[in-house]
Amino acid sequence: MENLLRELSSARVYDLEQPRYFGAPIFPSHAPGFVYTLHRRHEPDTGSTRTSASGVIYTAEHSGTHIDALSHQAENMTLYGGREINAQLQTGAGFSELGAETIPPLVGRGVLLDVARLKGVERVADDQPITRDDLEAAARQQGVEVREGDIVLVRIGNGTLWEDAEAYLAATGMTADASLWLAERRVRAVGADNVAWDVPGVVDPGLNITLPGHLILLVRNGIYIMENLYLEELAREQRYEFLFVCLPLKMRGATGSPVRPISIVSP
């Protein structure tokens, strides 16, 4: 225990969450995203030297930096593991199986694939989807291997645009074959610095659906997806392997959860 505490005390911790506020980039179907209002305020003349303030949070599960639960997507009305959607599984209070409370703490080897650096740009162009070849080339350039059980983060270079919602939402994403490449390696989870992992609004010609990675990863392979990550500091310091830690909230029956993931690197 002492050795672990000593090592952690000198480790570098990278915060991978974007700030939460009303007006932050949000996928249209999850609007309004995040709303916070003060419920109680500090007021004068209360008769006490001590005053109190507190607020109320209203948020979509899939706003800001978040993780998708396996109940989030279905194929032919079937969830991951062949669970047929019916009134017992999908209820007014959420899902009786595969809700956000079933997502385990994600603690393990993390890998950053910096596709923006691979292409020699600050940000991958909006009209350039990220392919299997891009992920393979980034791993090769960085000298890292994607292994079973890894958490793989893909950098587009979009994180610096968080305060410009229109520009942020226009960013590219992964093609179906990029998601297949990761599924073949049996990773535990994936994430990116864009709003939807996939390229929003583009119909995949093979599967004939939008957001093909969501079907491939969540429904067919049980691989969690994180979106709206902040990866700029990791990329700037070329930290391509690290201890990744992410703790989803135990929101029973929910289809996703806000998260504050971190990466830890030994000095």
Side-chain angles (χ1 to χ4, degrees):
M1 175 63 74
E2 289 183 1
N3 290 339
L4 176 60
L5 290 174
R6 191 179 305 113
E7 185 170 349
L8 286 175
S9 67
S10 59
R12 172 80 158 89
V13 177
Y14 296 83
D15 187 347
L16 309 183
E17 183 187 15
Q18 291 281 14
R20 299 180 189 276
Y21 55 91
F22 179 71
I26 185 73
F27 197 78
S29 60
H30 301 305
F34 180 89
V35 180
Y36 178 82
T37 58
L38 279 178
H39 175 62
R40 297 181 62 191
R41 298 170 180 267
H42 296 288
E43 302 285 356
D45 304 322
T46 63
S48 173
T49 58
R50 183 190 64 81
T51 59
S52 178
S54 59
V56 175
I57 297 169
Y58 174 86
T59 185
E61 312 140 297
H62 301 276
S63 69
T65 306
H66 67 276
I67 188 168
D68 294 344
L70 299 183
S71 57
H72 180 45
Q73 300 285 314
E75 182 177 15
N76 296 321
M77 293 299 289
T78 302
L79 299 180
Y80 171 68
R83 294 167 173 82
E84 184 179 347
I85 295 176
N86 54 37
Q88 289 71 48
L89 178 61
Q90 180 176 246
T91 77
F95 284 83
S96 59
E97 297 182 59
L98 303 182
E101 80 280 10
T102 67
I103 306 173
L106 296 177
V107 180
R109 178 177 182 257
V111 173
L112 173 67
L113 297 180
D114 191 346
V115 177
R117 181 172 182 267
L118 169 74
K119 294 179 178 291
V121 297
E122 293 185 3
R123 177 174 180 263
V124 179
D126 298 342
D127 60 353
Q128 292 184 15
I130 294 171
T131 67
R132 177 192 194 105
D133 290 345
D134 291 328
L135 299 186
E136 288 181 332
R140 189 164 54 248
Q141 181 190 70
Q142 297 167 194
V144 297
E145 178 186 4
V146 175
R147 306 170 190 162
E148 181 176 348
D150 285 349
I151 298 97
V152 178
L153 313 181
V154 181
R155 177 176 175 263
I156 295 168
N158 201 40
T160 59
L161 297 179
W162 186 248
E163 301 293 334
D164 183 345
E166 183 177 358
Y168 185 91
L169 293 171
T172 189
M174 315 305 140
T175 60
D177 70 339
S179 293
L180 281 169
W181 184 78
L182 291 164
E184 289 165 2
R185 277 145 189 79
R186 301 180 68 180
V187 301
R188 192 176 182 193
V190 301
D193 54 348
N194 70 345
V195 74
W197 175 256
D198 298 280
V199 184
V202 174
V203 176
D204 177 71
L207 295 171
N208 197 34
I209 57 168
T210 58
L211 307 182
H214 280 64
L215 186 149
I216 292 165
L217 295 168
L218 293 170
V219 184
R220 295 185 178 179
N221 290 281
I223 296 170
Y224 300 105
I225 299 174
M226 291 170 286
E227 293 154 342
N228 299 320
L229 297 173
Y230 180 74
L231 304 174
E232 295 307 301
E233 287 185 296
L234 276 178
R236 189 178 306 120
E237 299 183 16
Q238 298 183 29
R239 300 292 198 174
Y240 300 132
E241 296 179 77
F242 39 81
L243 173 63
F244 179 84
V245 180
C246 178
L247 305 176
L249 302 179
K250 289 187 176 181
M251 300 192 300
R252 185 173 294 172
T255 68
S257 168
V259 291
R260 187 174 188 177
I262 60 172
S263 294
I264 303 174
V265 180
S266 297

